[in-house]
Amino acid sequence: MGFWRNQLSGPTDPAADAAWDRHEPRKGFFTDTSICIGCKACEVACKEWNHVPEDGLDLLSQSYDNTGALGASTWRHVAFVEQSSERIEQARESGRRLVQLGMPSVRTGGEPALAGGSTATATLAPPGDVRPGDVRPGAGAGPGPTDQAVPDLRWLMASDVCKHCTHAACLDVCPTGSLFRTEFGTVVVQDDVCNGCGYCVAACPFGVIERRRGDEGHEKTGQSHGISIAGAPGTGSHQNPPSYAASNGEVKNVGIAQKCTLCYDRLGAGQTPACAQACPTTSIKFGDLDEMRATARARVAELHELGYPEARLYGVDDHDGVGGTGSTFLLLDEPEVYGLPPDPRVTTADLPDMFRKAGYAGLTMLGLAAAAFVGRRR
Amino acid sequence: MTVNPFDADRPPERVRRGNGERKRNGQNGARRRDESLMVPDVSFDSYYGRHIVKPAPWEKEIAAYLFLGGVAGGSALLAAGGRALGYPALQRVGRVAAMGAAALGGAALAKDLGKPSRALNMMRTVKLTSPMSVGSWILTAFSGFSGLALASEVATAIAGRSDGGTGGGSAVARVARVLDLVDGPATVGSALFAPPLAAYTAVLLADTATPTWHESYRELPFVFVSSANLAAAGLALVAVPTAQNGPARRLAAVSAVTETLAFERMQDKLGPTLSEPLRTGKAGRLLRASKALTIGGAVGSVVLGRNRVAAALSGLALMAGSACLRFGVFEAGTASAIDPKYTVEPQRERLERRRAAGVVDDSITTAR
Ligand code: SF4
Ligand code: SF4
């Protein structure tokens, strides 16, 4: 059992668990969404470098988003959310709550507000936006002693990507061994091994990996990336038009599971992944995971200091449900607002118990069959 | 992000919700503003109502496989019992059904792959963390033993017939004698792999991020093995003469009770939110039909099972009930993955529960 436990949940070094003897420091991203400008340079750079086909060019009717979610042909996805002051105040409140959760508060008053006084403030909320008059009298707790005034509206922009989980459900459930752990601690699909069983798609707690659609097999009629299947309850009627590239026979790896490789080929050559390289605002940072987490922690503390209690980190804690992620994020609202799960848990953490229950069920089945043969012959 | 004179004309902000179902859950549609509440309610937001986890890209072939695997497993047990206790018709039908359903099921699995030409890649490794890998090996072993048992059955039948006709010790007869030696081990082997074959499919579904499948992992195997027994008993009731259908009728009775109990318990344990996909929509209709067919078929087989026509009709109802159950559970999982409510609400709830209990170090969202 001890072996299972270490392998399936909790903090660990995934590359060492995967028996790499050539051990590189674990690599990862830190995506600081507070300085993202939504330019989608990361999406484009990723497509260029990795030959990822086009995935719908039309804007969705709701925002400047044109792909909707991560998927087989969207390995970086920039989310756009427009929020009113009311919603911003809620985000602040949930952020304050997070700060108070058994942790020393970073904001105990004293310092006056640093409105417009630093670059961080300028990128997060242009000073022109911040007018004390904007704060509604009825907005509950309102700004704290050092909090910035709540602007009228804001745009959240966030570049999402595969989390390269410490305990990656996709990798654990893959029956062919197509998904593997690299020496950098990342998770990569071998597209010449995958047979498109689709198990990883259902297993990923973040909805990242997906089978690529195209002209082959029944994938031509399958659901699209993150866009709900027709008739799905509670979703908008918008469906992405089928990708043109998907029908002209030029798409490779149709029917194969695809996702971010953290540019395994570039990493091997000591290069930075394409998205991080292309990001004009350094919203996407790349490096050793420890360094990324330290940067993330410093940045969130800085934002709290500056009076943005809504800032929070996502994925820096090794004790979370997936054992920590290789991609960490700085968010300005609850994760579900960005389409991220609030408390993901790697499904294989329960696998030993699942097999145990199935064993009991199997014995029950034998028992039922035996009972059927007991009794009078007729 | 600028403030300009036209901002005054901005239309009222749309209140963005995960979906319209919130009112049904007893939450009111207005946004909660009272920050003085100590325990915030589990409010649910989403990215334009899109799903967070992706539904399995599997189609009806996989649901059909769940059913066929059940038929195969249950039939192998009936065949083994029939051989041990002298029900030749049950043995014959069970063997044919076990091998036939396993073969059809394997074909359905291969057809559903994104790259069917690489179906054999399933065999390139043995991976205990992947129920699909484990299941592929279970299906392979089961099919091997069941195929051998069926070959022995066929050879014995042919040899018996040709013996009766010509009385010669033909080549067929020699093969039949050899196969007769392996008949016992093949029967035992196929009976031993039958329960894993019927049970692993529950783990296959549960070992995903699909909310309703995963959270039902404690009871789903019991539902699935009972359903397997019911389908196999149904097939036997259709195909076996009434003189030998006693075991099938009793199997239907005990398995129907087990399945009903396990299913009720599963719904209870899932709670109101996660069991909703089992009760509503297409899945709800299928599962209600399954219940009616299963109970009707089981009662029919017990009460009227000595009538050939009534037995066959009951058998058909049982098989249909099992199929509806598999398709229903399959559909319910897909529905639970598509609606972000089923991902966000239970996760938020468990997070709040842990926080209320003072556990604050295991959240993926942290303030520092
Ligand atoms: S986020 Fe999903 S696809 Fe990426 S490593 Fe984790 S489980 Fe795998
Ligand atoms: S679709 Fe490919 S990568 Fe995903 S689990 Fe199946 S074989 Fe592995």
Side-chain angles (χ1 to χ4, degrees):
Chain A
M1 279 321 292
F3 172 78
W4 279 91
R5 286 264 171 267
N6 283 333
Q7 295 296 308
L8 297 176
S9 59
T12 185
D13 176 355
D17 285 354
W20 280 97
D21 40 16
R22 167 173 163 240
H23 198 35
E24 303 280 338
R26 187 172 173 190
K27 298 286 192 220
F29 287 123
F30 167 45
T31 306
D32 180 354
T33 72
S34 69
I35 50 175
C36 175
I37 55 171
C39 68
K40 302 188 194 179
C42 49
E43 287 191 15
V44 176
C46 174
K47 281 184 189 294
E48 286 286 333
W49 182 261
N50 294 301
H51 303 293
V52 177
E54 178 254 299
D55 198 18
L57 292 172
D58 294 338
L59 296 183
L60 305 183
S61 51
Q62 302 124 329
S63 72
Y64 296 116
D65 191 349
N66 61 323
T67 55
L70 290 172
S73 302
T74 302
W75 296 358
R76 270 269 176 196
H77 165 245
V78 182
F80 293 79
V81 181
E82 185 182 348
Q83 291 188 328
S84 63
S85 56
E86 196 189 352
R87 198 68 191 76
I88 302 168
E89 186 48 51
Q90 280 189 333
R92 292 220 164 155
E93 197 46 46
S94 68
R96 285 188 198 109
R97 215 182 133 238
L98 207 57
V99 172
Q100 285 153 9
L101 271 178
M103 300 178 186
S105 173
V106 296
R107 150 183 86 67
T108 46
E111 284 278 304
L114 295 164
S118 84
T119 51
T121 314
T123 49
L124 191 85
D129 256 15
V130 183
R131 295 178 306 177
D134 291 345
V135 182
R136 300 182 184 180
T146 65
D147 287 353
Q148 298 291 335
V150 177
D152 268 349
L153 78 142
R154 67 170 176 178
W155 276 99
L156 298 178
M157 285 156 278
S159 180
D160 196 9
V161 70
C162 170
K163 314 299 174 293
H164 295 280
C165 311
T166 302
H167 297 286
C170 61
L171 191 159
D172 281 348
V173 304
C174 174
T176 62
S178 160
L179 279 154
F180 77 108
R181 179 78 60 181
T182 72
E183 65 273 38
F184 305 103
T186 58
V187 180
V188 176
V189 187
Q190 302 172 77
D191 52 16
D192 53 345
V193 173
C194 169
N195 66 11
C197 74
Y199 205 7
C200 51
V201 178
C204 170
F206 300 94
V208 169
I209 194 167
E210 191 188 35
R211 274 196 323 210
R212 184 168 288 164
R213 290 188 307 156
D215 282 340
E216 210 176 313
H218 72 235
E219 281 296 295
K220 58 174 168 260
T221 55
Q223 77 274 0
S224 159
H225 47 77
I227 308 293
S228 299
I229 298 170
T235 48
S237 59
H238 182 89
Q239 300 279 317
N240 249 16
S243 161
Y244 294 111
S247 56
N248 65 9
E250 284 169 15
V251 176
K252 62 166 191 166
N253 289 339
V254 167
I256 299 292
Q258 297 281 277
K259 72 167 190 74
C260 161
T261 66
L262 216 135
C263 285
Y264 189 35
D265 47 354
R266 295 174 67 95
L267 256 57
Q271 296 285 313
T272 300
C275 55
Q277 183 90 37
C279 178
T281 64
T282 68
S283 170
I284 301 175
K285 299 171 180 50
F286 163 81
D288 292 355
L289 186 59
D290 295 341
E291 211 177 284
M292 291 295 107
R293 288 182 176 174
T295 312
R297 293 198 161 105
R299 173 66 178 160
V300 77
E302 182 191 2
L303 285 177
H304 287 163
E305 280 305 319
L306 290 170
Y308 296 101
E310 66 266 44
R312 67 204 73 190
L313 300 179
Y314 188 79
V316 290
D317 192 346
D318 274 342
H319 296 275
D320 66 25
V322 296
T325 59
S327 307
T328 56
F329 299 83
L330 186 144
L331 305 178
L332 299 174
D333 202 340
E334 298 284 16
E336 56 267 32
V337 170
Y338 298 87
L340 294 166
D343 188 36
R345 200 172 133 74
V346 58
T347 181
T348 39
D350 295 320
L351 191 59
D353 203 24
M354 290 183 210
F355 275 133
R356 202 173 312 122
K357 294 291 186 301
Y360 296 146
L363 291 176
T364 306
M365 185 182 185
L366 277 180
L368 291 174
F373 282 94
V374 172
R376 190 156 59 86
R377 280 221 47 182
R378 275 179 294 187
Chain B
M1 285 292 278
T2 55
V3 179
N4 69 41
F6 299 109
D7 275 6
D9 299 327
R10 197 175 285 278
E13 193 76 10
R14 226 171 0 128
V15 176
R16 197 163 41 76
R17 279 291 172 197
N19 55 55
E21 305 213 44
R22 282 186 55 79
K23 291 204 176 84
R24 268 209 274 142
N25 294 338
Q27 321 245 5
N28 73 49
R31 205 171 275 288
R32 199 181 58 77
R33 292 289 307 137
D34 186 2
E35 271 107 10
S36 66
L37 282 185
M38 286 310 287
V39 181
D41 72 349
V42 178
S43 68
F44 152 61
D45 217 316
S46 76
Y47 187 64
Y48 301 100
R50 280 162 203 285
H51 40 90
I52 290 182
V53 298
K54 288 202 176 2
W58 302 332
E59 311 227 342
K60 54 190 182 311
E61 286 91 356
I62 298 296
Y65 170 73
L66 301 176
F67 170 72
L68 290 167
V71 172
S75 297
L77 290 183
L78 281 177
R83 182 181 186 273
L85 297 169
Y87 296 86
L90 200 55
Q91 171 189 325
R92 195 174 321 117
V93 168
R95 285 177 169 180
V96 173
M99 193 55 228
L104 277 177
L109 285 183
K111 180 158 181 289
D112 193 73
L113 294 175
K115 274 250 185 273
S117 55
R118 293 190 191 161
L120 283 181
N121 279 12
M122 290 288 183
M123 316 265 90
R124 71 184 277 281
T125 172
V126 180
K127 204 166 153 187
L128 291 182
T129 59
S130 170
M132 194 179 282
S133 172
V134 172
S136 302
W137 289 106
I138 291 173
L139 179 63
T140 307
F142 177 88
S143 304
F145 285 118
S146 300
L148 219 49
L150 180 61
S152 158
E153 186 77 33
V154 171
T156 310
I158 295 175
R161 197 169 302 139
S162 53
D163 274 357
T166 65
S170 63
V172 176
R174 277 200 297 281
V175 173
R177 274 198 297 279
V178 174
L179 281 172
D180 200 39
L181 288 178
V182 299
D183 191 285
T187 309
V188 172
S190 113
L192 279 183
F193 278 97
L197 180 67
Y200 98 84
T201 46
V203 183
L204 181 80
L205 298 191
D207 194 27
T208 60
T210 303
T212 295
W213 286 346
H214 180 81
E215 297 302 330
S216 63
Y217 81 83
R218 292 172 194 84
E219 298 84 18
L220 197 59
F222 293 91
V223 174
F224 273 18
V225 295
S226 315
S227 181
N229 277 342
L230 286 167
L235 186 64
L237 281 167
V238 172
V240 171
T242 50
Q244 292 187 40
N245 75 5
R249 290 164 56 196
R250 286 189 290 272
L251 187 62
V254 289
S255 301
V257 173
T258 315
E259 185 193 279
T260 311
L261 291 178
F263 195 85
E264 288 304 318
R265 191 179 159 77
M266 182 170 97
Q267 280 200 325
D268 273 2
K269 289 273 164 171
L270 280 172
T273 306
L274 283 175
S275 68
E276 197 175 77
L278 295 170
R279 289 182 274 110
T280 53
K282 190 172 163 201
R285 286 195 293 281
L286 282 165
L287 290 167
R288 279 191 295 278
S290 161
K291 196 167 186 177
L293 287 164
T294 301
I295 294 178
V299 170
S301 68
V302 171
V303 178
L304 306 167
R306 265 182 270 194
N307 176 307
R308 191 68 189 85
V309 175
L313 287 177
S314 306
L316 283 177
L318 289 172
M319 281 200 284
S322 173
C324 284
L325 179 109
R326 307 309 182 117
F327 279 82
V329 169
F330 185 80
E331 284 288 333
T334 305
S336 78
I338 287 175
D339 190 334
K341 173 175 76 168
Y342 302 116
T343 303
V344 174
E345 279 187 5
Q347 291 193 8
R348 277 247 149 253
E349 267 164 33
R350 72 188 182 210
L351 193 60
E352 295 301 338
R353 264 203 309 277
R354 289 205 307 271
R355 281 178 181 171
V359 185
V360 291
D361 69 338
D362 64 354
S363 167
I364 193 162
T365 316
T366 49
R368 56 172 192 174

